[in-house]
C-alpha cells in the first residue's frame, strides 16, 4: 500500500479520504440492505414458481405417460403438428446498477384454433398433454426470469459485502493507521519545536550557548565568554 | 354377404387374446424384464422376437412387439375379408387411414424427415406398409394429393379441397377438418349403401363413433376460449345423442363440470350417463376410453345376437385394441412404479 509522508497536507487528505470512505461504506450498506429486501421478496416468488413448475411438470409427465399408453404412437404425430419456434423478447433493465434481463410475458398456451390441428380426430389426452406442456413452458420462462434476477441480485449482494468488508477491514484501518502515524510524527515534531523553543529561551536567558567554538551572535550580545 | 370364413378365422384369433390369468401374471410381474419373459411365451412370441432383433431396450421391445402384433392383426383381417366385406371393414380402418394421412401431411408441413414420420404410422386397410412408404416419400403436400388422386383414393377429394386454403394460410387444420368430416360422411354413406343387417350394424357403429367424437370435442373445447363462430366447424353431423344446437349450447360452457352435467342430461343411454357422471375431474380423458369400451361391448353383444354379421369383426378389432392399450398401461406403470391399485383403475378388462 501507498506510504504517506508525514505532512499536514497528507493528514488533511487522509482525513477527507476517510470521511468519503465512511459515507461510501454507509451507502453500500444501505444498497445491500435494499438488495437483501428485494432478494428475500424474489426468493419467495422464485420458490413459488419452482413449486408451480414442479407440479406442472409432474402433471404433464403423468399425462404424457397416459397418452403414450392410450394413444400409442399417435402422440408423436400430434407432437410433429404442434412443432413451432418460440421467440422471446428480452430487454435489459437497470436496477440499483445491476443489469437484469426482463423477458416480455407471452401466452405460450395455445387455443385449439392456434394449434393448427383438427380437434375432431385428436385424442383428448393428446390436446390435454400439449396444453400441459405449454403451461410448463410458461412456467419455465417465468422461473428463468425470476432465477436470473435472483442470481444477479445475489451476486451484487456478495460483491457489495466484499466491498464493504474491504473498506471497513482493510482500507479504512490502513488509512486510520496512517493518520495516527502522521499525527504521531506531527505531534513529535511539535514537541520537538516546543522543546527547541524552550531551550532557546533558556539559552537566551542564561547567556550560555552550546556552540562555543563557532562564532555565536548571542555571545557578543550577552557580553560574556 | 357371406362372412362365414372370415368369422371362423376371427373366432380362432379370439382364442389368442389375453385372458384374466395372463393379465394377472403381467400385472404381477416384478418389472419390465418379467413382462418381456411372459410375453415371449404367449401369443406375442413372434412379435417379441422380431422386435427384440430391432431394439435393445426392453421397453422398446415390448412397444415394438405390441405395434407389430396390432399391424399383423389388421393385415390378417384385411387379407381374409371377402371383397364385399372389405368395404365394410374399410369403415373401421378408416380411422387409422385418416390418422396415417394426417401424420404424413403434418410431417410434410413441418419438415419432419420421412424416416421419422414412418415410425409413427400404423399400416391398416388400403394403406399398407408399401402404400405408406410411397406416401411418405412425396416431396410435399401437393404431390401427396396428386398421388392420392392417381390411386383413386376417396381421400384425394377432401385433401385437394383443403389445399387451396393451405396454399393461402399455410394452416393444416383446414385439410384435417375436411378429412375428419369427409370420413364420417363417407362411412355413413357406405353403411346406407350396404343395407341389411351389416349395413345397420355399421351405421349404428358410425353413429356411436360420431357421438363419442362430438362429446370428446366438447370437452376439449371447454374453457379453451375458442371463438363461437368457429365452434360449429368442429361439430360432426350424423350422431344421435347431440344435435348441432345442443352442441353449440354446451360448447360455450366455460366450466367442465357444467359441461359434464349438460352432457349427462343430453345422453339417453344410461351406461354413457353413468360414465359421464362418475368421471373424476383429473381423469376426464378416461371418458373416451370408457365410451369406446361401451361401444365395444355393444358390438360384442351384437356379435352374439348376429353371429354371422360384421359385428364379430368389429368386436374383435376393438377387443384387440383394448388389449394393446391395457398392455401399454401395464408397461408404463411398471416403468414408473405405479401402484397396482392405481394401475388397475386404468385397465379395462372386458
Amino acid at each position: 500500500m501507498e506510504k504517506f509522508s508525514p505532512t499536514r497536507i497528507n493528514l488533511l487528505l487522509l482525513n477527507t479520504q476517510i470521511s468519503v470512505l465512511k459515507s461510501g461504506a454507509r451507502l453500500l450498506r444501505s444498497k445491500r440492505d435494499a438488495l437483501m429486501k428485494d432478494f428475500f421478496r424474489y426468493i419467495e416468488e422464485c420458490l413459488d414458481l419452482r413449486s408451480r413448475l414442479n407440479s406442472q411438470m409432474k402433471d404433464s409427465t403423468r399425462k404424457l405417460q397416459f397418452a403414450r399408453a392410450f394413444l400409442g404412437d399417435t402422440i408423436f404425430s400430434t407432437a410433429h403438428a404442434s412443432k413451432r419456434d418460440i421467440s422471446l423478447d428480452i430487454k435489459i433493465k437497470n436496477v440499483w446498477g445491476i443489469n437484469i434481463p426482463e423477458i416480455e410475458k407471452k401466452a405460450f398456451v395455445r387455443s385449439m384454433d392456434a394449434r393448427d390441428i383438427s380437434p375432431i380426430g385428436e385424442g383428448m389426452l393428446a390436446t390435454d398433454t400439449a396444453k400441459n406442456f405449454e403451461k410448463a413452458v410458461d412456467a419455465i420462462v417465468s422461473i428463468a426470469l425470476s432465477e436470473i434476477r435472483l442470481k444477479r441480485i445475489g451476486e451484487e449482494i456478495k460483491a457489495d459485502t466484499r466491498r464493504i468488508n474491504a473498506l471497513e477491514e482493510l482500507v479504512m484501518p490502513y488509512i486510520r493507521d496512517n493518520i495516527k502515524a502522521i499525527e504521531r510524527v506531527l505531534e513529535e515534531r511539535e514537541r520537538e519545536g516546543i522543546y527547541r523553543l524552550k531551550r532557546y529561551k533558556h539559552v537566551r536567558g542564561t547567556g550560555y550557548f552550546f556552540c562555543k567554538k563557532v562564532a555565536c551572535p548571542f555571545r557578543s550580545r550577552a557580553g560574556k565568554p | 354377404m357371406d362372412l362365414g370364413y372370415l368369422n371362423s378365422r376371427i373366432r380362432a384369433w379370439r382364442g389368442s387374446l389375453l385372458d384374466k390369468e395372463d393379465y394377472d401374471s403381467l400385472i404381477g410381474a416384478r418389472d419390465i424384464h418379467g413382462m418381456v419373459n411372459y410375453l415371449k411365451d404367449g401369443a406375442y412370441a413372434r412379435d417379441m422376437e422380431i422386435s427384440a432383433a430391432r431394439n435393445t431396450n426392453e421397453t422398446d421391445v415390448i412397444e415394438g412387439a405390441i405395434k407389430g402384433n396390432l399391424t399383423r392383426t389388421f393385415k390378417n383381417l384385411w387379407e381374409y375379408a371377402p371383397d364385399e366385406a372389405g368395404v365394410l371393414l374399410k369403415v373401421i380402418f378408416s380411422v387409422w387411414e385418416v390418422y396415417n394421412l394426417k401424420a404424413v401431411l403434418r410431417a410434410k408441413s413441418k419438415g419432419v424427415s420421412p424416416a421419422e414420420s414412418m415410425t409413427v404410422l400404423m399400416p391398416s386397410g388400403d394403406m399398407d406398409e408399401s402404400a405408406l412408404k410411397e406416401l411418405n416419400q412425396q416431396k410435399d403436400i401437393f404431390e401427396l394429393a396428386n398421388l392420392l388422386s392417381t390411386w383413386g383414393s376417396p381421400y384425394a377429394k377432401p385433401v385437394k379441397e383443403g389445399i387451396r386454403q393451405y396454399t393461402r394460410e399455410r394452416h393444416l387444420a383446414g385439410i384435417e377438418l375436411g378429412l375428419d368430416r369427409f370420413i364420417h360422411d363417407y362411412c355413413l354413406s357406405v353403411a346406407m349403401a350396404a343395407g341389411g343387417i351389416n349395413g345397420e350394424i355399421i351405421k349404428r357403429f358410425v353413429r356411436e363413433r360420431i357421438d363419442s367424437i362430438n362429446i370428446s370435442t366438447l370437452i376439449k373445447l371447454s374453457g379453451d376460449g375458442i371463438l363461437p363462430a368457429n365452434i360449429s366447424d368442429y361439430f360432426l353431423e350424423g350422431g344421435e345423442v347431440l344435435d348441432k344446437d345442443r352442441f353449440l349450447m354446451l360448447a360455450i360452457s366455460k366450466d367442465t363440470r357444467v359441461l359434464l352435467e349438460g352432457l349427462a342430461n343430453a345422453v339417453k343411454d344410461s351406461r354413457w350417463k353413468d360414465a359421464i357422471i362418475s368421471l373424476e375431474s383429473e381423469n376426464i380423458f378416461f371418458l373416451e376410453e370408457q365410451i369406446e369400451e361401451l361401444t365395444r361391448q355393444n358390438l360384442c353383444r351384437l356379435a352374439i345376437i348376429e353371429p354371422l354379421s360384421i359385428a364379430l369383426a368389429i368386436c374383435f378389432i376393438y377387443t384387440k385394441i383394448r388389449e394393446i392399450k391395457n398392455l401399454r398401461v401395464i408397461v408404463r406403470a411398471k416403468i414408473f412404479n405405479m401402484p397396482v391399485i392405481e394401475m388397475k383403475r386404468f385397465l379395462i378388462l372386458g
Side-chain angles (χ1 to χ4, degrees), chain B residues 187-201:
Chain B
C187 290
L188 276 177
S189 66
V190 166
M192 303 280 192
I197 187 68
N198 288 325
E200 269 310 306
I201 289 168

Side-chain angles (χ1 to χ4, degrees), chain B residues 32-239:
Chain B
I32 291 284
H33 187 68
M35 274 189 82
V36 170
N37 284 342
Y38 190 83
L39 289 172
K40 264 181 183 168
D41 291 334
Y44 286 83
R46 185 182 156 193
D47 307 289
M48 287 292 283
E49 259 182 49
I50 296 169
S51 183
R54 288 179 185 156
N55 304 293
T56 47
N57 183 295
E58 287 187 324
T59 312
D60 295 340
V61 170
I62 298 184
E63 296 267 6
I66 290 171
K67 190 177 176 183
N69 187 275
L70 187 63
T71 311
R72 196 157 52 85
T73 308
F74 282 179
K75 195 179 164 199
N76 287 343
L77 259 171
W78 192 246
E79 280 174 2
Y80 283 110
D83 288 345
E84 59 270 34
V87 185
L88 297 179
L89 277 181
K90 194 173 169 63
V91 170
I92 304 154
F93 289 134
S94 62
V95 177
W96 288 280
E97 287 183 347
V98 167
Y99 158 73
N100 285 329
L101 259 181
K102 279 189 192 173
V104 177
L105 285 168
R106 286 168 182 181
K108 296 289 155 226
S109 172
K110 302 284 176 174
V112 179
S113 70
E116 196 184 340
S117 69
M118 195 64 203
T119 58
V120 305
L121 301 179
M122 180 74 213
S124 55
D126 277 333
M127 291 195 185
D128 55 12
E129 208 162 330
S130 55
L132 288 176
K133 267 186 190 155
E134 189 65 32
L135 273 176
N136 213 19
Q137 274 163 6
Q138 298 310 302
K139 218 165 68 191
D140 52 32
I141 291 175
F142 306 98
E143 281 193 8
L144 194 139
N146 289 335
L147 182 68
L148 287 172
S149 293
T150 316
W151 285 349
S153 166
Y155 305 116
K157 193 176 163 232
V159 172
K160 283 210 159 174
E161 279 171 3
I163 273 185
R164 268 173 246 136
Q165 196 192 346
Y166 176 77
T167 317
R168 269 199 318 273
E169 301 165 7
R170 290 278 146 188
H171 287 317
L172 263 185
I175 303 180
E176 290 195 4
L177 265 173
L179 271 169
D180 284 327
R181 264 200 229 101
F182 164 80
I183 195 60
H184 290 97
D185 291 343
Y186 173 78
C187 290
L188 276 177
S189 66
V190 166
M192 303 280 192
I197 187 68
N198 288 325
E200 269 310 306
I201 289 168
I202 292 287
K203 199 162 77 184
R204 196 167 152 185
F205 165 71
V206 175
R207 282 190 194 285
E208 276 195 22
R209 195 163 77 186
I210 290 172
D211 281 329
S212 157
I213 289 173
N214 279 338
I215 288 174
S216 161
T217 306
L218 271 176
I219 295 172
K220 279 180 257 176
L221 294 181
S222 77
D224 198 61
I226 213 154
L227 294 171
N230 295 348
I231 290 173
S232 58
D233 289 347
Y234 302 131
F235 176 73
L236 283 182
E237 300 275 3

Side-chain angles (χ1 to χ4, degrees), chain B residues 331-344:
Chain B
V331 170
R332 295 282 134 198
K334 294 279 172 223
I335 296 171
F336 291 94
N337 292 326
M338 191 192 268
V340 174
I341 298 172
E342 177 77 359
M343 181 209 301
K344 279 184 176 171

Side-chain angles (χ1 to χ4, degrees), chain B residues 17 44 69-70 73 316-324:
Chain B
L17 287 171
Y44 286 83
N69 187 275
L70 187 63
T73 308
F316 173 70
I317 290 171
Y318 277 85
T319 311
K320 187 77 201 169
I321 290 166
R322 180 51 54 200
E323 180 181 294
I324 298 289

